[in-house]
Amino acid sequence: MDSIEKRLKELGLELPEAVAPLFSYVPVMVHQGTAYVSGQVPRIGGSVPYPGKVGRDVTVEQARELAEYCVLKGLSVLKAEIGSLDRVEQVLKVTGFVQTATGFYEPSKVIDAASELVVKLFGEKAHHARSAIGAAELPSNTPVEIEFIFAVDLKGN
């Protein structure tokens, strides 16, 4: 078992099954040692558990839970593409979009959940650049969508 998967297990987490995208794009694009992971929406069983806008329909705590699930989905598709999460050399960037109600100015609190989970899993390799963006509307009325950029070892060392 890979060391990242051991950490997931220690945290009581598991990667969901990597699913094909619903639209015309690839979930992961790897180019010259950089893996770009497309935006991950927290669909569980085909639907978003807490739809709506953070600060009106969805609490910060619920949105943070969804942000963590976006991380798991992103790692799932990354693993499917590169074979092992232990090939991650560095988490380079996390970009989070939060569907916010008018007057909600704390998307960073939501995306912090994703950043914190990445650090728990990858340790020193997880310190990353980040953007946390409030958005008026997101696909499927999801409160959160997150994309990632990773440096990966293409030789499998």
Side-chain angles (χ1 to χ4, degrees):
M1 183 181 293
D2 295 340
S3 64
I4 300 301
E5 291 189 57
K6 285 179 186 173
R7 285 194 201 126
L8 282 163
K9 193 170 189 160
E10 289 168 2
L11 294 170
L13 302 170
E14 71 179 60
L15 297 179
E17 182 179 337
V19 296
L22 297 176
F23 301 99
S24 182
Y25 64 93
V26 294
V28 179
M29 175 58 66
V30 179
H31 179 70
Q32 297 181 351
T34 303
Y36 301 87
V37 178
S38 295
Q40 300 296 307
V41 174
R43 282 189 197 90
I44 301 171
S47 64
V48 176
Y50 314 116
K53 295 182 183 274
V54 180
R56 184 184 73 200
D57 313 306
V58 179
T59 67
V60 170
E61 292 75 22
Q62 289 170 322
R64 286 176 56 86
E65 178 184 326
L66 295 177
E68 289 178 342
Y69 192 72
C70 288
V71 170
L72 298 177
K73 283 190 67 181
L75 295 178
S76 176
V77 296
L78 181 63
K79 180 182 176 190
E81 183 67 25
I82 66 172
S84 169
L85 294 175
D86 288 334
R87 294 177 75 183
V88 171
E89 294 178 332
Q90 182 68 45
V91 181
L92 299 173
K93 179 130 191 226
V94 174
T95 302
F97 302 90
V98 179
Q99 181 173 248
T100 59
T102 302
F104 182 81
Y105 302 110
E106 298 179 318
S108 291
K109 283 187 179 179
V110 173
I111 304 305
D112 270 350
S115 291
E116 291 162 4
L117 180 54
V118 167
V119 170
K120 284 179 189 174
L121 293 171
F122 290 96
E124 288 300 313
K125 297 189 294 187
H127 297 289
H128 55 275
R130 189 183 87 185
S131 297
I133 303 159
E137 307 292 336
L138 290 175
S140 304
N141 198 26
T142 183
V144 183
E145 180 174 353
I146 303 178
E147 62 184 34
F148 307 89
I149 302 173
F150 296 92
V152 296
D153 176 7
L154 295 176
K155 296 177 183 97
N157 297 330

